[in-house]
Amino acid sequence: MHLRPRNSDDKAAHWTRPSKFDRNLIVIGAGAAGLVSSYIAAATRAKVTLVEANRMGGDCLNFGCVPSKALIRSAKLAHQMRQASSYGLAPTTPEIRFADVMERVHRIIEEIAPHDSIERYTALGVEVVRGFAKLVDPWTVEIDQGGDGIRRLTTRAVIIATGAEPFIPPLPGLADIGYLTSDTMWDVLRQRPAPPRRLVVLGGGPIGCELAQSFARLGSAVTQIEMAPRLLLREDAEVSEIVRSALARDGIDVLTGHRALVCGTGTDGKWIETEHAGERRRLAFDDLIVAVGRSARLTGFGLEDLGIPVDRVVETNAYLQTRHPNILAAGDVAGPYQFTHTAGHQAWFATVNGLFGDIKRFKVDYSAIPWATFTDPEVARVGLSEAEAREKNIPYEVTRFDLNDLDRAIADSATHGFVKVLTVPGKDRILGATIVGVHAGDLVAEFVLAMKHGLGLNKILGTIHIYPTFVEANRQAAGIWRRAHVNPRLLAMLEWFHRWRRG
């Protein structure tokens, strides 16, 4: 979360500010936030150095968004082959060539990698340095380049964009049995000729649900364990139930309300023991994926030595500045969201405030942050859910349109899902929108635009949408809202007018 930095009259009293600087900006981390920050700085002709110790592109390219969506697409095609009778075709059992699936995943990473490469950013005017960066004082960054030695650079501003990594719970026996994460699984499973035979996915958030469904569709016997009473806890209960039902249809044994107690090995191989309602259960498995969340990378960068508070994230103010105003943070390491698109969004504010903050500062805008979970069906949201509105005592109205009444969804045999919009009572101002269904991650963009620019449902209703498309569902929801808010006195007057016109 974003917190207000501690006030201090001597924030840099122990250090001497350089009279001149080697760089205008140094960015630590070449993930989404770091790349966007470097790009913007170079575009404004600032002298910028980007430091990365691992892979360019960060988690999204190498371990997260890109490989997972490639895997999801292969898994969905396998599922569609089994369900071909829904389209008047003969169903078939796909031959899962798992090694080829994983090679496709890595090939897609390689195809996208040039977008985030050293060569591209060097051509843009960014100096890219391989190494581990550490803040020595508020204006000096020390870079350990390994065999190339230690390098020190002074800079007017620094952006911490070090990202996050999978959180590993303190589960007894977990380290001994060997486990996978969304970071490690891609290289490990690349060596396998077949998917895991018995797979346990620990976690019921977006990552856990996406991976559980994908591996089930690729032939694994999947058990998903979630300590909370339902999956996707941030979404409304009805959304969680739809996703749970979809996973169950794919053969996944979804165990919500189950607390993992201990792992071990036995005659039947590896096992995990859970507790639910006072009863213990032991499950055998071949592989286990830990997907219980991600934690910010906070250590090793000198933040503590500079007195920069860190808890779950780097503590920043509304301008993404730390207690040293020239040191800023963006992306997963800053919170409060852990999405690639919010990392890029924050990067603009961090960069502009870092380079020009003594002239003009900008508060980061979180008014319309969307996200999606790419299960089948997809789940996408922007703004408030019903549960959040109730928790915050925010009055709201709900307008809902079910996809089973949408022509294109019927034609595509994809009628599972809905569009649900929360509005200010009596007004068309949008407080939030949740979409469940195919292409939900694409469809929500219209509501993001509307919320960002203050457009209400009447504007969506008055906009032409191509027929027949899924995005018509948004206009249909707006139409339902409009019909529910027609003035009855006006209708009575119109009825009288038409009667008078008939003579």
Side-chain angles (χ1 to χ4, degrees):
M1 65 178 63
H2 282 275
L3 304 170
R4 184 166 49 198
R6 297 178 296 185
N7 291 323
S8 174
D9 294 330
D10 60 343
K11 294 175 182 176
H14 301 296
W15 302 281
T16 301
R17 187 177 187 270
S19 58
K20 61 180 182 178
F21 301 91
D22 301 315
R23 301 290 183 270
N24 297 101
L25 179 67
I26 291 179
V27 181
I28 303 176
L35 291 172
V36 174
S37 296
S38 302
Y39 180 95
I40 294 171
T44 64
R45 297 300 187 264
K47 194 168 186 180
V48 55
T49 293
L50 172 64
V51 186
E52 173 55 54
N54 198 352
R55 305 183 192 182
M56 294 288 290
D59 299 326
C60 183
L61 171 63
N62 298 290
F63 312 120
C65 313
V66 171
S68 65
K69 302 313 165 282
L71 183 74
I72 286 169
R73 186 63 189 94
S74 294
K76 186 172 185 177
L77 181 56
H79 173 75
Q80 290 172 328
M81 292 171 68
R82 297 186 187 97
Q83 302 298 316
S85 58
S86 299
Y87 302 92
L89 306 174
T92 183
T93 300
E95 177 187 350
I96 306 297
R97 298 188 299 189
F98 187 68
D100 291 345
V101 171
M102 296 306 292
E103 283 304 312
R104 174 180 176 271
V105 169
H106 284 273
R107 185 171 66 252
I108 287 172
I109 294 173
E110 292 170 1
E111 289 178 6
I112 296 176
H115 302 170
D116 300 341
S117 66
I118 292 175
E119 292 77 13
R120 182 189 179 212
Y121 277 79
T122 300
L124 290 170
V126 178
E127 179 194 34
V128 182
V129 178
R130 289 286 196 186
F132 292 88
K134 181 178 180 179
L135 285 156
V136 177
D137 62 44
W139 308 278
T140 306
V141 176
E142 183 177 271
I143 306 170
D144 184 348
Q145 301 177 98
D148 293 330
I150 304 293
R151 184 179 178 191
R152 281 196 174 195
L153 293 172
T154 57
T155 180
R156 289 191 62 90
V158 177
I159 293 178
I160 309 297
T162 51
E165 59 194 359
F167 172 74
I168 308 302
L171 180 63
L174 182 62
D176 299 327
I177 56 98
Y179 59 86
L180 302 172
T181 69
S182 56
D183 281 13
T184 63
M185 57 174 279
W186 308 107
D187 288 334
V188 172
L189 296 181
R190 188 180 191 179
Q191 314 302 321
R192 306 274 189 88
R197 185 170 63 90
R198 300 170 302 177
L199 175 66
V200 165
V201 175
L202 194 60
I207 296 174
C209 289
E210 290 178 3
L211 294 178
Q213 186 174 51
S214 294
F215 280 102
R217 290 178 165 187
L218 291 172
S220 296
V222 179
T223 301
Q224 187 175 10
I225 300 171
E226 169 55 50
M227 184 169 61
R230 57 186 178 87
L231 303 175
L232 300 180
L233 202 58
R234 294 181 64 180
E235 307 299 341
D236 285 331
E238 63 177 330
V239 174
S240 299
E241 183 53 38
I242 288 176
V243 173
R244 181 191 179 107
S245 297
L247 299 184
R249 286 195 299 272
D250 284 324
I252 299 169
D253 188 10
V254 182
L255 305 179
T256 51
H258 283 66
R259 184 166 64 94
L261 300 176
V262 63
C263 296
T265 57
T267 56
D268 196 27
K270 302 174 184 178
W271 54 264
I272 185 170
E273 194 169 285
T274 66
E275 184 271 332
H276 173 68
E279 295 185 5
R280 292 195 171 204
R281 178 179 179 182
R282 181 170 289 190
L283 304 164
F285 64 86
D286 299 301
D287 286 288
L288 182 147
I289 298 175
V290 177
V292 296
R294 297 178 66 80
S295 55
R297 294 187 181 97
L298 299 169
T299 59
F301 309 107
L303 302 178
E304 302 91 337
D305 297 337
L306 270 61
I308 296 174
V310 293
D311 184 12
R312 293 186 303 108
V313 294
V314 176
E315 187 176 300
T316 63
N317 63 8
Y319 305 97
L320 297 176
Q321 296 169 310
T322 67
R323 72 188 301 264
H324 301 286
N326 71 307
I327 301 175
L328 305 95
D332 291 359
V333 76
Y337 302 97
Q338 291 187 336
F339 308 125
T340 296
H341 47 279
T342 50
H345 178 68
Q346 287 178 325
W348 185 91
F349 291 91
T351 307
V352 171
N353 290 336
L355 294 175
F356 308 107
D358 50 354
I359 302 171
K360 171 70 174 176
R361 295 187 303 170
F362 297 87
K363 290 184 179 180
V364 64
D365 177 15
Y366 296 120
S367 61
I369 300 295
W371 61 82
T373 300
F374 295 92
T375 47
D376 183 11
E378 291 180 8
V379 175
R381 178 155 69 92
V382 60
L384 292 174
S385 67
E386 283 195 77
E388 289 175 343
R390 288 192 295 267
E391 289 169 6
K392 298 177 180 179
N393 294 317
I394 297 174
Y396 67 93
E397 291 183 5
V398 176
T399 300
R400 178 182 173 124
F401 174 74
D402 291 311
L403 293 184
N404 60 12
D405 204 27
L406 182 71
D407 291 359
R408 179 57 185 270
I410 295 169
D412 281 13
S413 297
T415 56
H416 292 292
F418 58 83
V419 174
K420 180 170 65 173
V421 187
L422 274 61
T423 50
V424 175
K427 300 182 182 296
D428 72 338
R429 184 166 71 85
I430 301 167
L431 297 172
T434 298
I435 303 178
V436 179
V438 295
H439 309 303
D442 299 312
L443 302 184
V444 78
E446 186 168 29
F447 291 112
V448 179
L449 179 73
M451 290 184 66
K452 173 68 177 177
H453 297 286
L455 306 177
L457 289 179
N458 280 317
K459 294 294 186 181
I460 292 177
L461 181 62
T463 301
I464 298 174
H465 294 65
I466 295 174
Y467 178 89
T469 59
F470 278 93
V471 77
E472 272 195 301
N474 296 346
R475 188 172 184 273
Q476 293 279 9
I480 292 172
W481 180 90
R482 178 69 267 174
R483 289 192 295 274
H485 291 81
V486 172
N487 188 325
R489 292 183 61 186
L490 176 61
L491 288 178
M493 290 177 61
L494 290 173
E495 185 178 5
W496 174 87
F497 173 77
H498 290 307
R499 188 168 57 246
W500 174 77
R501 294 268 289 182
R502 292 194 303 269

